[in-house]
Amino acid sequence: MSAYEPDPRRWKALAVSLAAGFMGLLDVSIVNTALPSIQKDLGASSGGIQWVVSGYALAFGLVLVSGGRLGDALGRRRMFLFALAAFVLTSAFAGAAPNETTLIIARLLQGFASGMMTPQNSGMIQDLFRGAERGRAFGMFGATVGISTAVGPVLGGVILAVFGDPEGWRWVFYVNVPIGILAFALALRWLPKPETPARSLRGEIDFVGIMLLGVAVLGVLLPLIESEQGGLSSLWWLFLVAVVFGFAFVRWERSMVRRGRSPLLDTRLFTGTPGYATGAAVGALYFSGFTGMWLVFAIFFQQGLGYTPLQSGLAVTSFALGSAVSAAIAGRLVPKWGRKLTVTGLVMVIAGMVTVAVLAGQDPGDAAGWWFALPLLVAGVGGGMVISPNTTLTLECVPTSMAGVAGGALQTGQRIGTAIGTVVLASVFHAVLGANGGYPAALTAAMLCAAVLTSSALLLAVIELRARRKRRLLTEREGAERTAADSQRG
């Protein structure tokens, strides 16, 4: 086996891929701020405007695993360039949309392109970095994920403030075009070309698995995304469809492995890769509490307190700042502290959520943004200690040949967690508000619910921490026994 030789362009390649990935993840949330302007300018219906948001999230979640597998089989550079070009074109298409239907179609296509692009990031990190450098790279990746999720409302508010109504919303999409073109040009120059040629689609891509998993994910996400339009009551049967197709998917993938074929998602990734299954579950549960609270904050600040979209976004900026700084630092500390970082970070996130809940109960009025700044900063610092270390630890034992699909599966769990958390927290918030509890009481209830969801992630992280200690002790014991046996033979 040849010695590992780091690519001299690896950090430049990472910067380009993360910049493109940031755009894709940002478009999950940035459009929320522009929805009133879109509805007014295009005369869109409430159901149609919901699909401008949910269509992107649905398409994004549907293709993450397939995009990761295509990257594994065809080459991550090729898939990244293809997906980035598609994302730029569909962003321009969305910005130029003359009506509601065209915008929805553009957002679906944009979501597909972003979902194909995102798993290439984690796959390229697995390919290009080793040891402590991989931790640093995943730290930057975690910062990208955390910042893009939290800063979307702020950037959306800034763009609308600069370009104004009625067509300022179009620049929420147009801004991706020049950035994407620059990223594409730099990616052509800096992304390493594969040493081996891409393999055949016919022999390497599990099209049956793609179909089965796609229907299963669709069955979970669609009712959740449509919940505000009565999706849980009218589309509940899709959960049963998801169970049936999910079971069929697992059986099919196992049969592919037995026959020596290339599965879409090798189930041994969950059963035979130490820490992967638990780490993926920690990520999904954390995202259910972490991302679900942004919609609740937007409703509380804008409808409850009369904040502008920009003011609402700025009110939660301390979380994004804390997350950005701590994610970059935590990535470098993973080799030394490991899962302890995740556990500590989750405790800080829960403490921040509970503090916000308590402060909201005091009804701070228009000063709520200032009251919440410090606990959100604490939660943000903790959040940065969760995403990047958990990603590193979850993927550290994954073979590089499966890095793309593993990253895609990890992100799919996070998308499902996001959908579940958003539905649960919004439902709790509206239930308390509908019972005449008032906006402060509704926010308190929602934040306590977010803390409970995050606590379940903490429980799994503690279990995984103990399992890692046992594996380490077992490895040390076996090493000592081999050394003793060698000395006796000597």
Side-chain angles (χ1 to χ4, degrees), residues 26 54 105 126 145 245 265 375 392 477 488:
L26 185 69
S54 60
I105 293 172
Q126 293 282 85
V145 174
F245 275 79
L265 179 60
T392 304
R477 185 184 307 162
Q488 288 178 358

Side-chain angles (χ1 to χ4, degrees), residues 17-18 20-28 56 59-61 63-65 67-68 71 76 79-81 83-84 87 110-125 138 141 144-145 148 391 395 403-412 414-415:
S17 68
L18 291 185
F22 180 84
M23 288 192 301
L25 292 168
L26 185 69
D27 268 48
V28 176
Y56 183 92
F60 185 95
V63 300
L64 280 166
V65 174
R76 289 184 236 291
M79 279 304 303
F80 179 84
L81 291 172
L84 177 56
F87 183 77
Q110 192 187 27
F112 280 122
S114 182
M116 287 287 183
M117 180 170 59
T118 298
Q120 312 313 324
N121 285 320
S122 57
M124 281 191 277
I125 290 174
F138 271 124
F141 176 69
T144 300
V145 174
S148 63
T391 303
L395 298 176
V405 72
L410 182 63
Q411 290 254 356
T412 300
Q414 293 173 359
R415 292 307 110 201

